[in-house]
């Protein structure tokens, strides 16, 4: 049996609980040896030697992390999990740097880690190396983080397969932000009429952006994903070494609130309209793209032009698209699809759990 403990069961963690509970009750898949035994949020925690019942998982906020649950203590939580005996995975569904820094400690205690949290793999290079070293043994604890890039899309697994089979990575480029994909797919297209600020307003109202859209437009989320891809490909990238184009107008970067930013963004519609007009006049569209260059080992995040017949130009909605150009794939290997949302992110986590279950869980049923 593979034990699973979830840290930060919010939107993504809640979706994962739903998927696991439904899966385990399915006649077709009920034999999958995975069980949820631990939950912890910022206030409460619960760890059980026996799997939580499906009925309790259906109302986990009240039945598992309700008034009867213990006070949250991350050290005690990890200690309890390490004593369970069976293979155990800690699923970090937070975006916390503090939690990410605990991965080496968890791995040293024999706990596996699965996470959509980008911080451990895109922040300090020494933390990334420490995690790699601890997860490097074939039968030791493992780390999977497919959902850090492209949510549930098979991006990192594809890259890992390319690297492990000895292919030479020449270029990785892609549209890695669902928010920026939606914005430029709607703003920069032949016949589009909305201004840039109107597109941002619609995206914000539709829930595509962060509460403050500047957190999307500054490119840092894409930069983290590019850093992860570069490191998995074997390059020593860091966010501080990337060439990142922040498309937030400079005068609006320091305004006090998101509301003020949104109210003043129309002042810069002419700037974005000119960029778009120049692109369209050349038979191209604008796309916000992250890139890892295999020849130089460097990365970039920029607003770029692509001709109308390019796969990036044909993207719709808020989809992600990633193109791997390698020695074996001079015509790029392309991964495309929904790259954001709690359900697809939970799917990416679930897929990683199955990989660990296949390696470790079946031995302990």
């Amino acid at each position: 049996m593979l034990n699973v403990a979830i840290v930060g069961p919010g939107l993504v963690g809640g979706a994962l609980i739903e998927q696991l509970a439904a899966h385990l009750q399915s006649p077709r898949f009920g034999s999958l040896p995975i069980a949820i035994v631990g939950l912890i949020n910022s206030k409460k925690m619960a760890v059980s030697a026996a799997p939580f019942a499906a009925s309790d998982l259906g109302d986990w906020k009240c039945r598992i992390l309700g008034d009867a649950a213990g006070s949250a203590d991350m050290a005690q939580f990890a200690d309890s999990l390490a004593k369970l005996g069976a293979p155990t995975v800690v699923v970090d569904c937070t975006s916390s740097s503090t939690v990410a820094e605990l991965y080496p400690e968890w791995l040293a205690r024999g706990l596996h880690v699965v996470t959509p949290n980008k911080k451990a793999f895109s922040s300090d290079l020494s933390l990334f190396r420490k995690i790699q070293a601890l997860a490097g043994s074939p039968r030791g604890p493992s780390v999977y983080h497919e959902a850090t890039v492209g949510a549930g899309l098979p991006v990192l697994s594809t890259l890992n397969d390319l690297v492990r089979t000895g292919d030479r990575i020449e270029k990785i480029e892609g549209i890695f932000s669902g928010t920026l994909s939606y914005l430029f797919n709607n703003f920069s297209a032949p016949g589009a009429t909305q201004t840039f600020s109107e597109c941002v307003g619609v995206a914000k109202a539709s829930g595509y952006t962060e509460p403050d859209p500047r957190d999307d437009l500054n490119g840092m989320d894409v930069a983290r994903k590019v850093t992860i891809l570069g490191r998995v490909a074997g390059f020593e990238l860091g966010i501080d070494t990337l060439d990142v184009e922040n498309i937030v107008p400079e005068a609006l970067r320091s305004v006090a609130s998101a509301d003020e930013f949104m109210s003043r963004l129309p002042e810069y519609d002419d700037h974005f309209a000119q960029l778009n007009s120049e692109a369209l006049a050349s038979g191209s569209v604008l796309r916000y793209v992250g890139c890892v260059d295999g020849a130089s080992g460097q990365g970039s995040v920029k607003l770029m032009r692509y001709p109308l017949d390019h796969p990036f130009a044909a993207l719709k909605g808020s989809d992600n698209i990633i193109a791997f150009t390698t020695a074996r794939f001079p015509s790029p290997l392309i991964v495309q699809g929904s790259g954001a949302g709690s359900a697809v992110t939970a799917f990416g986590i679930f897929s990683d759990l199955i990989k660990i279950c296949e390696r470790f869980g079946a031995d302990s049923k």
Side-chain angles (χ1 to χ4, degrees):
M1 181 66 70
L2 183 70
N3 293 325
V4 173
I6 301 172
V7 179
L11 286 175
V12 171
L16 177 62
I17 292 170
E18 290 180 8
Q19 290 181 18
L20 285 171
H23 194 87
L24 296 174
Q25 294 180 75
S26 165
R28 182 179 177 187
F29 300 110
S31 61
L32 185 70
I34 295 178
I36 301 177
V37 299
L39 297 175
I40 183 171
N41 60 22
S42 60
K43 297 180 180 179
K44 295 284 188 176
M45 73 174 191
V47 177
S48 173
F52 292 136
S55 58
D56 290 336
L57 290 172
D59 188 20
W60 59 268
K61 291 181 182 179
C62 295
R63 294 194 178 188
I64 299 177
L65 292 183
D67 294 339
S71 297
D73 183 321
M74 192 65 75
Q76 183 182 339
F77 187 71
D79 187 58
S80 298
L81 295 174
K83 294 176 180 177
L84 290 178
T88 301
V89 184
V90 183
V91 178
D92 173 22
C93 289
T94 75
S95 59
S96 166
S97 296
T98 301
V99 175
E101 289 169 0
L102 295 174
Y103 296 177
E105 179 184 327
W106 294 345
L107 292 166
R109 302 192 69 174
L111 299 170
H112 305 280
V113 176
V114 170
T115 184
N117 185 350
K118 294 182 281 291
K119 300 296 174 58
F121 313 99
S122 61
S123 299
D124 192 274
L125 188 59
S126 63
L127 176 60
F128 178 78
R129 287 174 174 163
K130 188 180 295 185
I131 291 169
Q132 277 192 314
L134 288 165
S137 171
R139 296 301 299 176
S142 55
V143 175
Y144 286 89
H145 56 104
E146 182 71 74
T148 57
V149 180
L153 296 178
V155 176
L156 293 184
S157 54
T158 299
L159 177 57
N160 271 313
D161 288 344
L162 292 169
V163 171
R164 289 170 181 169
T165 58
D167 204 352
R168 185 179 71 251
I169 305 299
E170 297 179 356
K171 181 188 286 187
I172 306 168
E173 62 179 339
I175 297 172
F176 299 104
S177 165
T179 301
L180 293 166
S181 175
Y182 176 86
L183 282 178
F184 285 102
N185 291 345
N186 284 276
F187 172 66
S188 186
T193 59
Q194 283 186 316
T195 65
F196 186 73
S197 64
E198 287 172 343
C199 286
V200 175
V202 171
K204 187 174 187 296
S206 302
Y208 286 115
T209 74
E210 294 294 328
D212 188 335
R214 288 176 293 182
D215 292 336
D216 297 296
L217 299 175
N218 65 15
M220 293 311 297
D221 179 66
V222 177
R224 287 193 179 277
K225 295 171 184 176
V226 169
T227 297
I228 292 169
L229 287 164
R231 289 178 178 181
V232 171
F235 306 114
E236 295 189 349
L237 290 187
I239 290 178
D240 56 342
T241 67
L242 297 184
D243 181 7
V244 180
E245 182 178 359
N246 182 348
I247 61 173
V248 178
E250 190 168 355
L252 302 186
R253 295 175 190 176
S254 59
V255 298
S257 67
D259 288 342
E260 184 179 356
F261 166 74
M262 291 301 299
S263 69
R264 293 188 56 190
L265 186 57
E267 299 171 18
Y268 298 87
D269 279 339
D270 288 347
H271 163 71
F272 288 103
Q274 181 176 350
L275 293 176
N276 194 34
S277 295
E278 291 172 353
L280 293 172
S282 67
S284 303
V285 292
L286 298 173
R287 296 293 183 261
Y288 196 76
V289 173
C291 181
V292 177
D293 179 67
S296 66
Q298 300 299 308
S300 63
V301 179
K302 293 183 177 181
L303 187 61
M304 300 178 67
R305 295 181 185 180
Y306 286 88
L308 294 175
D309 60 354
H310 192 281
F312 289 9
L315 205 60
K316 304 296 183 183
S318 59
D319 278 2
N320 283 191
I321 185 169
I322 299 90
F324 298 97
T325 304
T326 73
R328 295 179 188 143
F329 291 91
S331 178
L333 188 165
I334 291 178
V335 178
Q336 179 179 346
S338 297
S342 58
V344 291
T345 303
F347 158 77
I349 297 168
F350 196 168
S351 299
D352 283 345
L353 289 174
I354 291 175
K355 293 182 179 74
I356 296 177
C357 187
E358 289 172 341
R359 289 180 60 194
F360 300 94
D363 295 337
S364 302
K365 285 193 287 183

